[in-house]
Amino acid sequence: MAEHEHVRVAVIGSGFGGLGAAVRLRREGITDFVVLERADSVGGTWRDNSYPGCACDVPSHLYSFSFAPNPEWPRTFSGQRHIRAYLEHVTDLFGLRPHLRLDSEVKLMSWDADNLRWNIETTRGSYSADVVVSATGPLSDPKVPEIPGLDSFPGEVFHSARWNHDYDLRGKRVAMVGTGASAIQIVPAIQPQVGRLTLFQRTPPWVMPRVDRAISGAERRLHRAVPLTTQLRRGLLWGIRELQVQAFTKRPDELGLVEQLAKRNMARAIKDPALRAKLTPGYRIGCKRILLSSTYYPALAKPNVDVVTSGLSEVRGSTVVAADGTETEVDAIIFGTGFHVTDMPIAERVVGAEGITLADSWKSGMRALRGASAAGFPNWMTIIGPNTGLGNSSMILMIESQLNYLADYLRQLDVLGGRAALDARPAAVEAWNHKVQERMKRTVWNTGGCTSWYLDASGRNTTIWPGTTTEFRRATRRVDLGEYEVVRKPGAKDAGSGAHAAAGAAGRTEREPVRAGGAQSGEGAA
């Protein structure tokens, strides 16, 4: 590899967001780009999370790109192995391998105001790029709580996203810490083989049945022969979820019926009233992520499983101690404690136009214009950015909407001509986020009476989109130049706007006033 490589676009990450961006660039006729990936293969979270029982809780035909339908999904809810294979297939189908730079973890990205480009330092060399697309995703860096005494634990310790496949769990005494989406898949997968399983539960989740089945050979043949049937299936799955959004965002009280269904799901497997009381949430369903499993509750009812209704607070040798004082001897500790979602480590490595990191810029909470652009970080965009997450549908739908926005962003730069960059106006970012947060106030995520990973340290919901995927698609179908400042090198001329006087000292940039163009100012706003 060359010591330094300059490209038009650098994409960071090779999960759904990064590979989707790469495909979109090629479809737009842009081939001068690289995909920087810290691991040795593509796949993102579906590469990293290989724990027993790992599967998606979104139906297969909706959890795939619209431009790369897969008629061969083996189950209605696919497992990790098949989703990872799908991403490898997409990589080959669209000829992305020459653009991949594997084992290239980004250590620093800094804006070069003199040359209007990003300088990027990786573990395998340096790059520069006119535009950076950050697609590291919110579920990429595991979060392990600081537990006193954990460093001196003599047994095995690992996070669900860094599963140790070399460690044999058979007959072992295992502590499972956390009750999120990963934990409820891990528990039934390992319960039959471990000697004793102790689940540390701070807050019980709402769990609905997982209506999963094998997709028959006849169905797959039909999808291969008549691609329209795959589209119809996807459309039906999408439409049902669009209709559910109102209950989450405007009428949370309507979710009471869903709670009753979840309680029946529990009652079918949990006959012990005391255990059932431990597992019954005290908040509105939907406030935290609704989990899907038909095996979680049956596993908890097994005689080799204990549920401790308290978080892990201390480790004393081989003894793990809960906050309520419960002590348990274990051989292994597995953390299913989630990820750095509202404090993504990548933000520490991005230095913008004012010389401050993205993490410092977001110290009071993540915010980005239409979930993509941060003020003070020209020609930098993020996929699955602030307030783009979903509580009931497929993130692939949101990713594809952001890819539309990225494509128009690059077109606008072409129209501007010359060396130019776009920097989101602070007022536009603030206006967008104010509208999002106003809508958030009545959603179940803010009113449901829980504390979730959707909220940042100040209690602000900076992760979820408070509307339908249709609304978001409309809000991101094209770039409104009125929401951006055009940044040029000193003395540069704009073919479309006339000449501008030199700004003076070297290293200074000119910022042009721009009238709203393309989309109307505020179009599609939340």
Side-chain angles (χ1 to χ4, degrees):
M1 188 188 75
E3 283 190 14
H4 182 88
E5 184 177 357
H6 177 77
V7 292
R8 184 180 182 193
V9 182
V11 179
I12 318 299
S14 68
F16 268 99
L19 294 180
V23 171
R24 188 56 185 263
L25 290 172
R26 286 191 64 94
R27 296 178 80 186
E28 292 289 320
I30 298 171
T31 57
D32 184 16
F33 70 90
V34 293
V35 179
L36 302 175
E37 169 56 54
R38 67 184 177 185
D40 61 1
S41 61
V42 302
T45 192
W46 294 105
R47 175 200 58 238
D48 296 343
N49 287 268
S50 58
Y51 59 79
C54 183
C56 190
D57 58 6
V58 175
S60 303
H61 287 88
L62 193 58
Y63 200 78
S64 48
F65 291 120
S66 64
F67 52 78
N70 180 18
E72 303 297 340
W73 289 119
R75 302 194 66 83
T76 51
F77 290 89
S78 289
Q80 176 263 346
R81 179 169 61 91
H82 293 106
I83 297 174
R84 185 179 180 185
Y86 170 77
L87 290 172
E88 293 281 0
H89 168 71
V90 168
T91 302
D92 291 325
L93 180 65
F94 292 95
L96 303 182
R97 302 245 176 234
H99 301 279
L100 294 177
R101 303 293 183 269
L102 302 175
D103 297 310
S104 298
E105 181 175 7
V106 171
K107 309 303 289 185
L108 180 67
M109 288 183 280
S110 55
W111 176 247
D112 180 352
D114 290 340
N115 296 297
L116 297 187
R117 66 185 187 184
W118 286 91
N119 291 326
I120 306 167
E121 298 297 327
T122 81
T123 51
R124 293 286 297 274
S126 62
Y127 298 81
S128 58
D130 299 332
V131 176
V132 166
V133 179
S134 181
T136 58
L139 305 182
S140 57
D141 291 285
K143 178 184 289 186
V144 176
E146 295 183 5
I147 306 294
L150 182 62
D151 290 343
S152 61
F153 178 69
E156 192 68 24
V157 179
F158 51 88
H159 190 278
S160 59
R162 300 292 185 266
W163 194 270
N164 184 358
H165 290 278
D166 295 327
Y167 184 73
D168 189 354
L169 289 171
R170 285 178 295 182
K172 299 294 196 303
R173 300 166 299 176
V174 178
M176 181 75 229
V177 183
T179 53
S182 300
I184 72 153
Q185 294 180 343
I186 292 170
V187 166
I190 68 173
Q191 173 272 319
Q193 56 181 298
V194 303
R196 185 139 211 98
L197 178 60
T198 303
L199 177 67
F200 287 83
Q201 168 193 273
R202 286 193 307 174
T203 309
W206 285 106
V207 183
M208 294 288 288
R210 182 184 178 88
V211 187
D212 186 25
R213 66 172 179 82
I215 297 177
S216 68
E219 289 175 273
R220 295 198 298 272
R221 286 193 296 272
L222 176 62
H223 292 329
R224 286 195 301 270
V226 188
L228 179 61
T229 60
T230 306
Q231 297 175 26
L232 290 173
R233 186 172 191 158
R234 178 185 176 90
L236 179 61
L237 293 168
W238 165 78
I240 291 171
R241 281 153 182 78
E242 289 289 272
L243 293 174
Q244 295 171 346
V245 171
Q246 293 284 339
F248 287 86
T249 59
K250 296 180 180 179
R251 295 187 289 272
D253 288 343
E254 293 182 359
L255 293 167
L257 176 60
V258 184
E259 282 185 14
Q260 294 305 313
L261 296 175
K263 287 179 179 178
R264 289 179 190 173
N265 181 45
M266 183 195 307
R268 279 192 290 268
I270 306 298
K271 304 303 180 184
D272 178 6
L275 180 56
R276 198 182 306 162
K278 287 183 178 181
L279 300 175
T280 301
Y283 56 87
R284 174 65 76 195
I285 193 170
C287 183
K288 286 177 177 281
R289 183 174 174 183
I290 299 175
L291 307 182
L292 302 180
S293 178
S294 298
T295 56
Y296 177 64
Y297 288 137
L300 296 184
K302 298 297 183 181
N304 68 331
V305 178
D306 294 315
V307 178
V308 177
T309 56
S310 184
L312 181 61
S313 66
E314 186 181 357
V315 177
R316 301 176 193 151
S318 296
T319 303
V320 291
V321 184
D324 65 0
T326 303
E327 297 185 5
T328 309
E329 290 279 329
V330 298
D331 304 304
I333 303 173
I334 302 172
F335 286 97
T337 46
F339 300 85
H340 289 277
V341 175
T342 60
D343 58 342
M344 294 186 289
I346 189 67
E348 296 279 1
R349 307 179 187 187
V350 184
V351 180
E354 302 301 321
I356 65 171
T357 66
L358 184 63
D360 284 336
S361 177
W362 282 351
K363 194 170 290 184
S364 61
M366 298 190 302
R367 58 195 51 170
L369 177 61
R370 301 179 190 268
S373 302
F377 297 82
N379 280 11
W380 183 91
M381 297 188 67
T382 181
I383 305 295
I384 315 183
N387 291 115
T388 61
L390 296 176
N392 75 313
S393 193
S394 172
M395 279 305 303
I396 313 305
L397 301 170
M398 301 296 278
I399 289 171
E400 291 196 25
S401 291
Q402 292 197 289
L403 298 182
N404 290 341
Y405 196 72
L406 168 64
D408 196 52
Y409 190 100
L410 294 170
R411 292 188 205 111
Q412 296 292 348
L413 287 175
D414 285 341
V415 169
L416 288 169
R419 296 289 299 157
L422 291 174
D423 190 2
R425 294 177 179 276
V429 175
E430 188 58 37
W432 171 260
N433 279 276
H434 176 73
K435 290 176 181 177
V436 168
Q437 293 303 320
E438 282 298 306
R439 287 186 63 176
M440 196 71 71
K441 288 179 179 178
R442 57 180 175 177
T443 67
V444 68
W445 307 299
N446 280 36
T447 64
C450 73
T451 300
S452 73
W453 59 265
Y454 299 151
L455 310 179
D456 63 17
S458 64
R460 187 164 164 266
N461 193 326
T462 58
T463 59
I464 296 294
W465 168 246
T468 64
T469 62
T470 302
E471 289 175 289
F472 190 75
R473 177 66 59 96
R474 186 166 59 244
T476 54
R477 62 184 174 184
R478 57 181 182 261
V479 169
D480 177 358
L481 283 181
E483 295 180 329
Y484 289 87
E485 291 180 336
V486 178
V487 183
R488 291 192 182 276
K489 292 178 67 174
K493 294 184 178 181
D494 176 7
S497 304
H500 289 265
R508 292 178 60 194
T509 54
E510 292 180 339
R511 291 178 176 258
E512 303 172 4
V514 180
R515 293 182 181 178
Q520 294 298 310
S521 182
E523 178 184 3

